[in-house]
Amino acid sequence: DKNWSKEIWQDQLTKSIYTAYEKAGWYYLKAINQNGKLHDTETKLTHARFPEKIVIRNNRVYYLIENTITGEYRSVYSQYLN
């Protein structure tokens, strides 16, 4: 089952709008078109589960991942959107 996020994000440069759903801890971003419908393509945030502080800029997504073993530090990851 898909657990849809209540958050939306806007690409700071392209102005595209995105939402996400979580499945087994993995996040998938989907663009929303001007009519409020979801695009068919999606982007899985592949570096780790449960990303934090998602930011989208120029068709790239950036997010923080906490070290799940120690919880002591976070890393920033980025990837291109589909």
Side-chain angles (χ1 to χ4, degrees):
D1 264 354
K2 297 177 183 177
N3 295 318
W4 287 97
S5 170
K6 293 181 181 176
E7 295 182 76
I8 59 169
W9 299 272
Q10 184 173 30
D11 186 309
Q12 297 172 356
L13 293 179
T14 68
K15 304 302 181 199
S16 297
I17 305 290
Y18 296 87
T19 190
Y21 67 89
E22 177 264 325
K23 185 175 182 181
W26 295 102
Y27 272 61
Y28 298 81
L29 291 176
K30 288 187 78 85
I32 303 171
N33 69 20
Q34 293 175 345
N35 298 325
K37 301 206 182 219
L38 295 172
H39 284 253
D40 291 334
T41 59
E42 62 189 22
T43 301
K44 180 181 180 181
L45 302 186
T46 57
H47 293 291
R49 294 179 173 188
F50 305 110
E52 299 175 22
K53 305 213 185 267
I54 294 170
V55 173
I56 300 172
R57 183 177 173 85
N58 202 23
N59 293 316
R60 286 186 70 90
V61 58
Y62 301 85
Y63 50 98
L64 292 176
I65 299 297
E66 186 174 318
N67 182 315
T68 56
I69 296 170
T70 64
E72 293 178 1
Y73 66 90
R74 294 181 178 169
S75 299
V76 176
Y77 290 93
S78 73
Q79 65 188 79
Y80 284 102
L81 294 167
N82 293 335

